[in-house]
Amino acid sequence: MRGFTARSLSRFVIGTSVLALVGLPGIAMAQDAAATVGNPGSSDIAPQATPAGPNEATDDIVVTGIRASLREAIDIKRNGQGVVDAISSEDIGKFPDTNLAESLQRITGVSIDRSNGEGSTVTVRGFGPEYNLVTLNGRQMPTSTLGDGASAPASRSFDFANLASEGVAAVEVYKTGRAAVPSGGIGSTINIRTPRPLDKPGTRGSIAAKGVLDSSRNGKDQITPEVSGILSTTFADDRIGILFSGAYQRRKASNNSASVGFRDGFLGAENNWGTLAQPGTPGAANITNRPGPTDVYEIPQSAAYDVIDIDRERINGQLVLQAKPTDTLTATLDLTYSSNKVEVRDSSVGIWFNFGDTRSAWTNGPAAGPVFYSENFAPGKDLSYSSSLTANKSENKSIGGNLTWEAPGNVTMSLDAHHSTAVSKPTNDYGSSTSIGGAIFGVQSQTVNFENDLPIISYQMYPGIDPLNASLITPTGNAFRNAYFKDEINQLQLKGHYDHDGDFLDSIDWGFSYVDNKVRSAYGFIQNETWGGIDPRGAAAGAAAVPDDFFNLTSIPDKFKGVSGANNPAIPQSIYTFNFEQMAELLRSQYNICSAPQTGTAAPGTCLANYTNDRRIRERTISPYIQFNGKFDVFDRPAHIIGGVRYDETQVNSSALVPIPTGTRWTGANEFALTYAANAAFTTLKGRYHNWLPAVDFDIEPVRNVKLRASYSHTITRADYGSLQGGLNIDSNPRIGGGTGSQGNPNLIPYKSKNIDLSAEWYYGRESYVSVGYFTKDVQNFIGTTQINTPAFDLRNPGSGPRYRQAVAALGSTDNNLVRDYILRNFPASSQVTGTSDAGLLTGNIFGLPQDDLFNFQVSQPFNSDQTANINGWEFAIQHRLWETGFGVILNYTIVNGDAKYDNALDPNIGQFALTGLSDSANAVGYYDKNGFQARVAYNWRGQFYAGGAFDPTYVEAYGQVDASASVQMTKGLAVFGEVINLTGQGRRGHRRSDNFVTFAQPGYARYSAGLRFNF
């Protein structure tokens, strides 16, 4: 805790004293929802007796299954202070959904993002995963993810795909700030509760096994296993307890995708490389309905069909030991483990545009979208066949201990500590995200048509060249990217609770937390920019080096069933795919692609690139808090108020090792590469900030079973790790028009939100209620990104200089393949010939010279802008049990509004501030639970939302999914169950400014499972 000054603590003491003096005289305090400060894993909602519904008897009746889950969720919502919702297990070892994220989306105001066909991260009230703090039993958990696998990881978002649901007792979503709740979530704090043996003495458990069939799987449908179990027992007069839970899950699926890459946005009046020809210039006649001078449009740069196969293995386990040596002292030791290993194989056919002899048609402005975009080529243009492999594992480990003492004088003290780590890294000797390119040279023309949901990619080859002739496929460029992420958290918490017997003050909570968060994010790559062919003797020699039986013919139209346009005859009916490892080993042995790559270095005997980016961030945070809880009557009706303040102070130390580029190479028609110095160096920067976070919650029950609530709070979310890193990083592959780069800022302060929540709730039955809520959040300290156009490291552009201009003048053409051939023939001292294309053109490297123009780089740097934003919305919910029929319904709808929305028609050269993830969402659930039979059908919908891009926006279109499940109790304790995920096979799609400009389109498929569960 070195570095935290006495002045820091004095701020807290003074502030809390003022609050106490102001708050105590005129109010009576309510019981704090966090009164159960002991036993991590217990709800933060204090157990309270819930009045029976107006038409219900109070006889003790044992309720299990769906109804039990709904009852506990209602109890948490009703008895909590502030706005809190929850999902509870239906029985030990039985959560409503197989994935925690899929369950969370049933909560009002919660929507999810999917990865590889599964729920992964959550958005709450329009705030995405970076804005939500996830805790496990009240402890801040480390997070790890490799992101795209092709850059240094940077996210704080929690990936719920790492956790199986079978070992979870409940998930609580705190939508309002609380002094006693850890800081870090503007959208929400999500607490995952796991069971404890002393919570329910005795011996109990559950064993379940099921088979899963994912109909998305390319080729033969394969059933994969899932097994889970939980055992809890107590002995020694229920003073010692042991609980063990474990889960093993294997899933094989596919997630085929069509994608379109893009250039930056342009105004119709711009005349730059890659823009549409201006009226009256060559090529203008080939444009139909050209965007006007003030219209915004975007040019496709690439397009591909990707056949993607996924193999996921998830293992979870938890061991809990508890002892209660005296009636007032409870000790808990827990160990938690999870691993999520994912392998993704991507085989694709792709095209790239050179922006030469093009033809196109466009929709009307002001944000014009392409109807089609086509280009003709001279001999030598490539059709890409590539194979990619992403094979990574995320592993989480946590050991924690807790001592809870019910001290004399109505005081309860709790000391809690844990050491937790999260690590993500590759599982093979190639890297975290790897790709090997292949090509057939001879594309005469290529087109992307945008008139369907699926982008229609088509190509024509020159006479005599067959795209399905395996003997023509030659290996080209390749890249082996190696990312690593580790997050280690050591946390110490001391909490106290005092129950007061007075009429006004009900209780006081206080506490102190120290969090030491150490993050390492590393990345490196090796690459060979041999896009004209890997063999210096030419494409034919490279093709001859690969046996024809390496390639497998794969059909395309059937991989996109259900997507509009999949039956278009222009789509290639088949493509060639190949096994990544087989091709990699051949190229390693024949061309030394890993031992002697053109860029980067690898560990001996592997393709694992040495790290060139290595970021180390350490955040140390102290958080004392105090909270007064009161209860009083208003006109003889019960009311509660909680007032508290939390003080956070954080120190940031950020060190970064970044590569130093020393030169440039022009390696292909539109491919450039950087050359790096052998060594890099660490730079260290520091930051520091503090925040006062007050919170007040009030509720009153004006009539029986009706609650009115009002809350006011301040909450924060810390910047992502990438924004905090130090050092300038230039991306490795600039284009002829320039490159990109980034630079971090460790002095960023957190986002801060001032929140108001109002709600009304009517609990008219034991399992029935209606609620309506309004929320508004005024957010400041947004992290904006400024782009600076600047040279960097004196790097020169070999595609823009005296040699280039001489070639254009001599040839009378700007065709990059012809220009490169001219330079390679006429300037041997500053170039390197590596081969000859089938069209007779030289291929190789053209090196940057001091006489060339400086390369321009758009360098992005984060900063705390003075931009503010308001997010507000409404939450409507009804849960109704249809009397004693066993049927019930759950309906909710969330409206989210924000005053910072992206304007697609504005100048694309000026970045815009907009809030990502804002969208309406809804759920409709029908259930039946009676006489040993349970069934549920659930529909979840999320509206279209802006996904990001200050200069070039992307959107994810509206998505709705139907899930269903059912179980039948065969004998006491034994049940047969079945589940269907995405019953109707809903697909997903994204686009850019124009709906026409699709960025991705993916078909959807149902996933089926069935099995047995035995409870005892």
Side-chain angles (χ1 to χ4, degrees):
M1 294 169 59
R2 185 179 303 168
F4 291 102
T5 63
R7 182 180 60 185
S8 302
L9 291 176
S10 69
R11 292 176 186 152
F12 172 74
V13 174
I14 295 171
T16 51
S17 300
V18 170
L19 179 66
L21 292 172
V22 172
L24 278 176
I27 61 174
M29 300 295 182
Q31 181 178 359
D32 177 25
T36 52
V37 292
N39 293 330
S42 299
S43 171
D44 276 346
I45 309 303
Q48 301 177 31
T50 301
N55 300 315
E56 293 192 26
T58 59
D59 295 337
D60 290 336
I61 299 175
V62 177
V63 178
T64 60
I66 295 174
R67 290 178 57 194
S69 172
L70 297 179
R71 281 193 177 189
E72 183 173 349
I74 283 182
D75 289 345
I76 291 174
K77 181 178 181 68
R78 179 172 186 165
N79 298 331
Q81 297 294 332
V83 180
V84 57
D85 287 289
I87 297 285
S88 299
S89 62
E90 297 173 6
D91 206 339
I92 185 170
K94 184 176 185 292
F95 213 68
D97 293 274
T98 58
N99 177 290
L100 288 183
E102 301 283 353
S103 288
L104 282 168
Q105 70 178 336
R106 317 291 181 206
I107 291 178
T108 311
V110 179
S111 52
I112 69 172
D113 293 313
R114 290 174 170 83
S115 175
N116 296 327
E118 287 189 286
S120 176
T121 56
V122 302
T123 294
V124 181
R125 290 178 164 181
F127 285 96
E130 291 278 1
Y131 300 92
N132 297 292
L133 177 69
V134 176
T135 61
L136 180 67
N137 298 321
R139 298 165 175 165
Q140 183 175 332
M141 284 291 104
T143 63
S144 69
T145 176
L146 296 185
D148 59 6
S151 59
S155 178
R156 290 182 188 266
S157 60
F158 187 86
D159 188 353
F160 286 90
N162 290 333
L163 296 180
S165 61
E166 286 82 357
V168 174
V171 180
E172 303 159 343
V173 181
Y174 294 87
K175 300 177 183 176
T176 52
R178 300 290 306 284
V181 173
S183 64
I186 283 179
S188 69
T189 297
I190 300 172
N191 184 43
I192 302 170
R193 287 169 45 203
T194 56
R196 296 289 184 258
L198 296 186
D199 290 347
K200 294 182 179 180
T203 299
R204 56 198 179 98
S206 172
I207 300 174
K210 65 181 175 181
V212 179
L213 188 152
D214 198 316
S215 63
S216 70
R217 182 73 173 164
N218 294 321
K220 181 180 178 181
D221 291 332
Q222 186 173 356
I223 296 176
T224 55
E226 294 191 5
V227 181
S228 63
I230 182 170
L231 173 65
S232 175
T233 187
T234 59
F235 49 92
D237 295 327
D238 296 330
R239 290 190 176 274
I240 299 177
I242 300 175
L243 181 146
F244 172 79
S245 66
Y248 174 84
Q249 299 175 349
R250 183 82 179 269
R251 175 178 173 240
K252 293 190 175 184
S254 297
N255 192 32
N256 305 322
S257 182
S259 61
V260 179
F262 52 87
R263 285 277 297 154
D264 295 334
F266 300 107
L267 286 175
E270 288 187 63
N271 186 21
N272 300 315
W273 180 78
T275 59
L276 295 174
Q278 291 294 327
T281 64
N286 297 330
I287 305 171
T288 301
N289 194 32
R290 189 193 189 283
T294 60
D295 290 340
V296 180
Y297 70 95
E298 293 149 314
I299 297 286
Q301 183 160 20
S302 62
Y305 292 137
D306 295 82
V307 179
I308 301 173
D309 294 323
I310 302 162
D311 189 352
R312 188 263 292 153
E313 183 183 59
R314 182 164 59 199
I315 300 173
N316 280 194
Q318 186 174 55
L319 175 66
V320 183
L321 305 175
Q322 280 192 295
K324 194 170 184 177
T326 70
D327 291 340
T328 61
L329 182 65
T330 302
T332 303
L333 175 68
D334 55 85
L335 297 92
T336 303
Y337 173 84
S338 72
S339 73
N340 191 35
K341 184 165 66 174
V342 181
E343 179 184 275
V344 179
R345 296 180 180 273
D346 182 349
S347 300
S348 70
V349 59
I351 59 174
W352 285 79
F353 291 98
N354 290 343
F355 315 117
D357 181 9
T358 63
R359 287 164 175 76
S360 60
W362 299 84
T363 64
N364 294 328
V371 178
F372 76 87
Y373 190 84
S374 179
E375 186 171 8
N376 297 324
F377 303 96
K381 179 66 174 66
D382 63 310
L383 174 68
S384 171
Y385 289 135
S386 67
S387 179
S388 300
L389 175 64
T390 301
N392 301 310
K393 181 179 180 180
S394 295
E395 193 171 46
N396 300 271
K397 300 177 182 178
S398 178
I399 180 170
N402 179 274
L403 286 175
T404 299
W405 177 40
E406 297 177 15
N410 297 327
V411 173
T412 302
M413 297 297 298
S414 173
L415 177 65
D416 189 87
H418 76 101
H419 167 77
S420 302
T421 59
V423 178
S424 294
K425 59 183 179 181
T427 58
N428 55 36
D429 286 342
Y430 301 109
S432 56
S433 177
T434 58
S435 61
I436 294 176
I440 291 180
F441 293 90
V443 176
Q444 187 173 28
S445 66
Q446 62 191 31
T447 301
V448 181
N449 186 287
F450 295 87
E451 295 179 281
N452 299 275
D453 286 345
L454 186 75
I456 307 302
I457 303 171
S458 60
Y459 41 82
Q460 283 290 125
M461 311 299 286
Y462 272 93
I465 299 178
D466 182 1
L468 297 182
N469 183 349
S471 66
L472 298 179
I473 302 175
T474 184
T476 57
N478 48 76
F480 297 81
R481 309 172 190 92
N482 185 21
Y484 173 88
F485 191 91
K486 181 178 181 180
D487 187 1
E488 176 186 315
I489 290 181
N490 295 293
Q491 183 177 17
L492 177 69
Q493 298 181 85
L494 177 65
K495 298 181 179 181
H497 176 80
Y498 166 64
D499 280 317
H500 186 64
D501 294 331
D503 294 333
F504 299 102
L505 178 64
D506 184 61
S507 63
I508 301 175
D509 289 284
W510 67 94
F512 176 88
S513 170
Y514 171 70
V515 178
D516 188 358
N517 182 20
K518 299 176 183 178
V519 175
R520 183 187 180 193
S521 171
Y523 174 72
F525 69 95
I526 59 174
Q527 187 161 306
N528 296 282
E529 295 88 5
T530 50
W531 305 112
I534 196 169
D535 197 302
R537 297 169 296 176
V546 183
D548 290 353
D549 60 8
F550 270 36
F551 302 100
N552 303 299
L553 207 58
T554 302
S555 59
I556 287 296
D558 62 307
K559 302 302 186 292
F560 296 94
K561 287 180 180 178
V563 184
S564 169
N567 294 323
N568 192 305
I571 290 176
Q573 299 303 294
S574 298
I575 65 170
Y576 273 118
T577 62
F578 55 89
N579 178 270
F580 178 90
E581 292 95 334
Q582 188 179 37
M583 183 68 76
E585 291 308 309
L586 183 145
L587 300 183
R588 288 178 68 181
S589 63
Q590 296 199 25
Y591 297 101
N592 300 319
I593 60 171
C594 294
S595 58
Q598 292 182 350
T599 302
T601 59
T606 75
C607 295
L608 288 173
N610 295 321
Y611 299 136
T612 52
N613 286 319
D614 198 343
R615 304 168 180 172
R616 316 286 179 91
I617 296 175
R618 185 177 187 184
E619 293 177 327
R620 289 175 292 169
T621 301
I622 59 167
S623 300
Y625 70 88
I626 190 167
Q627 186 169 273
F628 301 96
N629 316 299
K631 62 181 180 180
F632 57 99
D633 290 338
V634 177
F635 301 111
D636 296 324
R637 300 305 303 166
H640 303 86
I641 191 166
I642 292 178
V645 64
R646 189 180 191 94
Y647 174 78
D648 271 9
E649 182 168 323
T650 301
Q651 281 187 344
V652 181
N653 279 30
S654 178
S655 300
L657 177 73
V658 295
I660 306 300
T662 57
T664 58
R665 305 192 310 277
W666 190 5
T667 61
N670 188 31
E671 285 87 30
F672 291 76
L674 303 182
T675 302
Y676 294 92
N679 298 312
F682 274 99
T683 58
T684 300
L685 299 173
K686 296 184 178 182
R688 188 188 191 116
Y689 56 83
H690 69 272
N691 286 279
W692 290 96
L693 304 174
V696 179
D697 294 312
F698 170 78
D699 72 69
I700 186 172
E701 191 171 353
V703 296
R704 189 182 180 203
N705 298 315
V706 173
K707 271 204 170 184
L708 304 179
R709 303 181 191 271
S711 298
Y712 176 81
S713 64
H714 291 188
T715 52
I716 62 171
T717 287
R718 294 173 175 87
D720 67 274
Y721 298 123
S723 297
L724 295 172
Q725 64 94 15
L728 172 62
N729 185 55
I730 297 297
D731 295 332
S732 60
N733 291 108
R735 296 297 180 188
I736 195 168
T740 56
S742 61
Q743 185 168 359
N745 182 0
N747 284 299
L748 292 172
I749 60 177
Y751 305 83
K752 189 171 186 178
S753 178
K754 299 178 180 179
N755 318 298
I756 296 175
D757 287 82
L758 305 171
S759 69
E761 303 153 12
W762 176 29
Y763 298 91
Y764 61 89
R766 188 66 181 86
E767 295 153 29
S768 302
Y769 76 94
V770 177
S771 70
V772 58
Y774 172 79
F775 63 89
T776 179
K777 297 174 178 286
D778 290 314
V779 186
Q780 62 189 40
N781 302 336
F782 274 98
I783 297 174
T785 300
T786 182
Q787 284 189 328
I788 304 171
N789 286 283
T790 180
F793 303 102
D794 198 38
L795 295 174
R796 303 287 169 161
N797 186 349
S800 178
R803 293 170 299 175
Y804 178 86
R805 288 187 278 272
Q806 179 178 323
V808 169
L811 297 169
S813 171
T814 58
D815 183 287
N816 285 340
N817 288 310
L818 297 176
V819 170
R820 282 174 43 78
D821 176 80
Y822 181 93
I823 296 176
L824 288 166
R825 292 182 188 278
N826 291 278
F827 295 92
S830 58
S831 63
Q832 176 190 29
V833 176
T834 59
T836 305
S837 72
D838 289 344
L841 300 177
L842 296 182
T843 60
N845 297 306
I846 299 171
F847 301 102
L849 297 176
Q851 299 92 328
D852 291 329
D853 299 336
L854 284 166
F855 240 127
N856 179 69
F857 292 91
Q858 285 189 336
V859 177
S860 301
Q861 183 174 30
F863 69 101
N864 286 114
S865 71
D866 56 6
Q867 179 75 51
T868 60
N870 174 263
I871 295 177
N872 62 82
W874 294 86
E875 295 179 339
F876 304 93
I878 179 170
Q879 180 173 302
H880 182 64
R881 175 189 170 197
L882 297 172
W883 306 282
E884 299 302 323
T885 65
F887 289 98
V889 295
I890 303 170
L891 304 171
N892 61 58
Y893 192 92
T894 302
I895 300 172
V896 181
N897 302 303
D899 61 3
K901 296 183 178 180
Y902 204 94
D903 188 341
N904 293 323
L906 293 184
D907 186 342
N909 298 296
I910 300 174
Q912 296 185 47
F913 170 77
L915 297 171
T916 60
L918 294 188
S919 67
D920 296 348
S921 60
N923 287 281
V925 180
Y927 69 88
Y928 179 84
D929 185 359
K930 193 174 184 180
N931 299 325
F933 178 73
Q934 299 178 32
R936 178 195 286 110
V937 178
Y939 174 74
N940 173 263
W941 172 85
R942 182 182 185 183
Q944 176 175 296
F945 62 92
Y946 163 71
F951 294 87
D952 302 299
T954 58
Y955 299 89
V956 177
E957 298 179 4
Y959 177 85
Q961 178 172 304
V962 178
D963 303 328
S965 63
S967 68
V968 180
Q969 186 170 329
M970 307 301 292
T971 62
K972 183 178 180 181
L974 179 64
V976 178
F977 63 90
E979 302 161 339
V980 185
I981 304 298
N982 197 10
L983 178 64
T984 59
Q986 179 68 36
R988 302 176 71 237
R989 187 178 187 270
H991 64 259
R992 295 188 57 74
R993 283 181 169 87
S994 165
D995 291 353
N996 260 41
F997 200 147
V998 57
T999 54
F1000 73 89
Q1002 298 170 343
Y1005 296 90
R1007 184 164 76 248
Y1008 306 92
S1009 63
L1012 296 171
R1013 178 181 293 106
F1014 179 67
N1015 288 5
F1016 55 90

